[in-house]
Amino acid sequence: MHELSIAQSIIEIVGQYVTRAEQEQVRRVNVRIGAMAGVVPDSLEFCFAAVIHHTPLQDAVLVMETVPFCVRCHACGQTTESEPGIALCPACGSADTDIVSGTELQVVSIDVDEASGGGA
Amino acid sequence: MSVITIERKVLEKNDEVARQNRELFADHGIFVINMVSSPGAGKTSILERTLETLRDTLKIAVIEGDVQTDLDARRVAKYNVPAVQIVTRGGCHLEANLVREALGSLKLDTIELLVIENVGNLVCPSNYDLGEAVKVVVASTTEGDDKPLKYPAMFRNASVLLINKIDLLPYLPCDLATLKDNALKINPSLTVFETSCTSKQGINAWCEWLMENSRRKPAS
């Protein structure tokens, strides 16, 4: 439901790395989204497209790397992918776990087409 | 094609304002809770029972977040505590900067406990740190015992769970033990209180917890 404001935040961050003119050369905006980040990828893609429409960034595509929800268990020592949010160790059932991935919501990088100018 | 590395959190701006809010709360010795739940779980009713119980012993202020209307702030104002309403006009959650603006209407030096009642929504508010000391999630028995499994992020990020409307348990297919089990599966360190705003069961235990934490000066 808040994917629109997340799309806007992503564009704001990108704007700090390339000038308005250079934004026309941005081909890909790479983001990392954890399985438990509370973001619906389809919805974010839709909102991103809506937000860049008629802006210098309009040729950019949002590329989402999704990260599984994984917990590390202090009891059995294993790091295992778990159902998003379930903190119990899938291997031994212990509740003594730490989340090691799955909550990410990051702008990773942008791919810029050098052929038509660009560069930072 | 050249790659420009960015590696930054999407919500870093909110996180930064939340950090500033947290610093401000620590400077003034204010214990801050962020109450979250789905619409109708009973956040405002719990708040009313809390104010009834604590208003003479603890200096409390309230920030109310709603999509529309100041009805909740008016409900709270009856208890003679400072209350600020944030109307998000469609926004599905509170953000740190909205809280910071609302703080301008409060006398921070006169507050020991600040209750921020978030917009009723179990999804979006979990992403936005407001600078609170703890998130308190309210789950009511009428919502069913599988709620924590359906909305894990909210239960994961909370420190306290209030299971509300327990007076209705005899009439509902909701199993209290299952509800608790499901919540602890998501977050084994949750502190759980069972409450009813009608029978007032559990309200005292919850208020004692609030008292204890408000009087213990937060470590900054």
Side-chain angles (χ1 to χ4, degrees):
Chain A
M1 264 185 274
H2 55 298
E3 278 78 0
L4 186 62
S5 72
I6 287 176
Q8 281 163 334
S9 299
I10 291 171
I11 283 159
E12 222 171 276
I13 291 173
V14 169
Q16 293 166 16
Y17 289 80
V18 278
T19 63
R20 214 179 146 73
E22 288 164 346
Q23 287 183 22
E24 288 173 20
Q25 269 74 55
V26 175
R27 295 291 167 262
R28 274 193 289 270
V29 175
N30 303 298
V31 296
R32 190 179 291 131
I33 298 171
M36 214 184 70
V39 172
V40 181
D42 281 353
S43 170
L44 182 58
E45 198 173 7
F46 176 83
C47 291
F48 183 82
V51 170
I52 61 172
H53 193 54
H54 288 317
T55 75
L57 266 178
Q58 64 181 353
D59 292 329
V61 175
L62 187 70
V63 181
M64 289 173 278
E65 173 202 344
T66 52
V67 186
F69 182 72
C70 292
V71 293
R72 183 189 299 124
C73 177
H74 293 293
C76 72
Q78 290 198 59
T79 297
T80 325
E81 180 173 348
S82 174
E83 183 90 5
I86 305 291
L88 299 182
C89 172
C92 76
S94 166
D96 188 11
T97 59
D98 289 329
I99 296 176
V100 291
S101 71
T103 58
E104 298 82 353
L105 186 52
Q106 292 158 337
V107 182
V108 178
S109 61
I110 49 176
D111 297 356
V112 183
D113 193 351
E114 289 165 319
S116 18
Chain B
M1 198 82 81
S2 75
V3 178
I4 301 176
T5 303
I6 296 181
E7 288 293 349
R8 277 168 60 184
K9 286 170 103 177
V10 173
L11 298 179
E12 61 179 14
K13 214 162 101 185
N14 182 76
D15 290 350
E16 171 55 21
V17 179
R19 193 192 60 73
Q20 292 166 5
N21 287 350
R22 190 166 280 119
E23 225 169 67
L24 195 66
F25 298 143
D27 286 349
H28 291 84
I30 308 173
F31 181 63
V32 183
I33 66 170
N34 177 4
M35 284 181 87
V36 291
S37 79
S38 48
K43 289 185 300 301
T44 314
S45 297
I46 289 172
L47 183 52
E48 288 179 303
R49 298 292 89 78
T50 304
L51 294 173
E52 261 169 30
T53 313
L54 290 179
R55 64 175 163 172
D56 293 330
T57 31
L58 206 57
K59 291 173 205 147
I60 309 175
V62 176
I63 294 177
E64 281 290 344
D66 281 290
V67 171
Q68 201 61 266
T69 79
D70 64 348
L71 293 172
D72 279 0
R74 281 198 256 166
R75 268 171 78 178
V76 166
K78 284 186 192 142
Y79 297 89
N80 288 323
V81 298
V84 187
Q85 178 80 51
I86 299 174
V87 178
T88 62
R89 306 213 177 277
C92 51
H93 58 271
L94 291 180
E95 297 189 9
N97 65 332
L98 293 175
V99 170
R100 185 165 65 181
E101 278 168 33
L103 291 177
S105 319
L106 294 170
K107 291 192 189 96
L108 298 184
D109 283 329
T110 62
I111 303 171
E112 290 171 289
L113 168 66
L114 174 64
V115 180
I116 303 172
E117 185 184 335
N118 217 312
V119 176
N121 178 346
L122 271 180
V123 184
C124 312
S126 74
N127 273 357
Y128 293 85
D129 184 9
L130 305 179
E132 72 272 8
V134 292
K135 271 197 181 73
V136 175
V137 60
V138 181
S140 61
T141 55
T142 51
E143 298 166 70
D145 46 33
D146 53 1
K147 210 69 194 252
L149 301 178
K150 290 175 172 171
Y151 299 89
M154 194 58 95
F155 288 82
R156 180 76 207 182
N157 294 336
S159 309
V160 177
L161 164 64
L162 300 181
I163 301 178
N164 195 31
K165 308 188 190 179
I166 51 163
D167 54 309
L168 295 180
L169 276 170
Y171 314 104
L172 300 169
C174 170
D175 183 60
L176 186 60
T178 308
L179 174 52
K180 256 195 249 180
D181 268 9
N182 285 339
L184 294 172
K185 237 188 249 182
I186 305 287
N187 183 353
S189 61
L190 271 175
T191 301
V192 184
F193 296 98
E194 297 162 18
T195 58
S196 161
C197 293
T198 310
S199 72
K200 298 188 184 175
Q201 193 181 333
I203 295 294
N204 278 339
W206 154 243
C207 286
E208 273 164 34
W209 183 92
L210 276 177
M211 270 294 285
E212 217 173 276
N213 284 277
S214 305
R215 290 279 155 89
R216 184 192 304 151
K217 290 301 167 204
S220 51

